[in-house]
Amino acid sequence: MATLPQRVKIVEVGPRDGLQNEPEPIPTATKLAFIQKLAEAGLTQIEATSFVHPKAIPQLADAIDVAKSLPNAPSLFYSALVPNQKGLDRAIEAGIRRVAVFTAASDEFTRKNINMSVDESIGVFEPVVRAAISQGISVRGYVSTAFVCPYAGEISRERVLDVSLRLLSMGCDEIAISDTIGAAAPCDIDQTVGFIAEKIPVEKIALHLHDTYATALANVYAGLRLGVATFDASAGGLGGCPYAKGAAGNLATEDLVYFMDRMGIETGVDLIGVAAASNVVAATLGRALPSKQWKRLKANAH
Ligand code: HMG
Ligand code: MG
């Protein structure tokens, strides 16, 4: 059996990816209460919001208010999406110290999502990433539709590698290989992530998985076997991208934490604590969340 990492980092994307896909915005105070509980559960890397056009994602139009009121602790690292210089300016104004630029392996998707081709997005990001780094702000880069695109179909691993290398060479310190519509299975992780991990240090690779077809945890295991030790997840299994047809919730943080606990792999995150954070959102939405572990634990999580 492959030697698996002993410890993994979980990047909590619920406040951003989770809430961006809800039909209605939820109140800023509820978002902050959610983030507070996530931090109490031991999550230290939290993607808090997005500085995108408020018309594109009205659910996160309060980004500046959220970012300015984030709970503070030396161990907490918040990040936020920025699609361009205007987004970076807004993030800096709000005090954010880590940002994420986001492109994809398919032009069809980036055109719908950010109104640019992949090449155009790289051209826009280069000065943005330079400006961020010059001000001491670190940058993550997302590669969406890394396996299957809802508009272009199957994606070649060479294309994913090419976009990843371009993001790294402009200064991104981590590349989130993203299964935007949750279509991948472990064979895809082996083929694509295995291939790029031969050219990019595996410590710089994160897996951002959606769970549309219930393959996300199997894909995590495939990633672990390749040495990947950073996984994105969203409390309760909330999430999806309004610009990717068929994208359902992210891999649920509770399900990921249970899996890691049972595998004896450290996360530093308390399972019940995450369920308590999800309860805050579930109460506001007035509906059940997709996570299996949340369903099991919700009544006992406060
Ligand atoms: P555009 O219309 O092409 O932008 O949108 P533009 O540069 O032509 O500017 C038009 C107007 O927008 C201008 O205002 C700008 O100032 C304003 P006007 O002069 O007309 O009054 N503007 C902005 N306002 C606020 N913040 C900004 C900003 N930029 C321009 N940052 C744009 C292009 C990228 C802005 C738009 O398409 C956009 O915001 N898209 C975001 C879409 C999005 O957030 N998608 C979801 C996140 S990605 C995701 O979920 C995938 C991921 O989870 C990984 C995975 O699962 O695959 C990360
Ligand atoms: Mg996503």
Side-chain angles (χ1 to χ4, degrees):
M1 187 169 136
T3 309
L4 305 182
Q6 292 181 345
R7 184 179 174 88
V8 297
K9 177 174 92 182
I10 297 180
V11 180
E12 169 62 47
V13 297
R16 195 278 303 172
D17 208 344
L19 301 183
Q20 76 179 13
N21 204 39
E22 285 304 317
E24 297 297 329
I26 70 167
T28 307
T30 308
K31 291 176 183 177
L32 290 167
F34 176 39
I35 291 169
Q36 172 72 43
K37 290 269 192 195
L38 291 168
E40 284 169 14
L43 287 151
T44 56
Q45 311 268 335
I46 302 177
E47 199 170 75
T49 187
S50 249
F51 294 92
V52 296
H53 196 298
K55 280 200 187 126
I57 306 284
Q59 296 89 335
L60 303 181
D62 60 354
I64 291 196
D65 295 337
V66 169
K68 282 191 168 164
S69 304
L70 287 168
N72 237 326
S75 59
L76 284 175
F77 298 93
Y78 295 107
S79 60
L81 295 194
V82 301
N84 52 22
Q85 185 62 46
K86 177 144 192 180
L88 178 64
D89 294 342
R90 292 174 61 215
I92 290 172
E93 183 196 331
I96 288 287
R97 306 302 300 158
R98 179 163 175 77
V99 296
V101 293
F102 52 107
T103 185
S106 96
D107 288 322
E108 289 83 347
F109 175 69
T110 50
R111 285 215 173 86
K112 287 197 195 310
N113 196 38
I114 50 175
N115 198 23
M116 302 177 227
S117 66
V118 173
D119 283 352
E120 284 164 353
S121 73
I122 297 288
V124 166
F125 296 161
E126 261 163 0
V128 172
V129 173
R130 242 195 335 268
I133 291 171
S134 74
Q135 294 178 66
I137 294 171
S138 63
V139 190
R140 154 184 257 217
Y142 278 96
V143 182
S144 285
T145 61
F147 307 97
V148 181
C149 169
Y151 312 108
E154 298 293 324
I155 298 295
S156 82
R157 60 193 194 168
E158 287 80 10
R159 175 72 163 156
V160 180
L161 176 63
D162 175 57
V163 178
S164 302
L165 288 172
R166 289 160 84 185
L167 289 169
L168 277 177
S169 73
M170 70 175 77
C172 294
D173 59 24
E174 182 173 85
I175 305 299
I177 302 296
S178 303
D179 185 14
T180 311
I181 57 165
C187 56
D188 301 297
I189 306 297
D190 288 346
Q191 278 210 9
T192 298
V193 182
F195 176 70
I196 66 172
E198 286 169 10
K199 319 276 191 299
I200 292 176
V202 75
E203 306 76 48
K204 291 189 184 290
I205 299 176
L207 271 180
H208 176 98
L209 301 165
H210 286 258
D211 201 24
T212 318
Y213 299 100
T215 53
L217 275 180
N219 293 339
V220 166
Y221 187 56
L224 286 172
R225 288 173 58 96
L226 294 169
V228 176
T230 302
F231 297 94
D232 293 5
S234 167
L238 290 160
C241 175
Y243 297 95
K245 204 169 115 243
N250 289 71
L251 166 61
T253 312
E254 291 91 330
D255 299 348
L256 179 63
V257 171
Y258 173 81
F259 177 90
M260 293 298 172
D261 285 351
R262 181 75 188 164
M263 295 286 287
I265 298 173
E266 261 179 73
T267 62
V269 178
D270 173 50
L271 177 53
I272 298 258
V274 183
S278 298
N279 278 348
V280 172
V281 180
T284 302
L285 297 178
R287 64 170 165 80
L289 305 181
S291 164
K292 288 199 162 42
Q293 290 298 325
W294 176 77
K295 289 191 173 89
R296 185 174 74 82
L297 297 167
K298 62 182 186 317
N300 299 319
H302 306 288

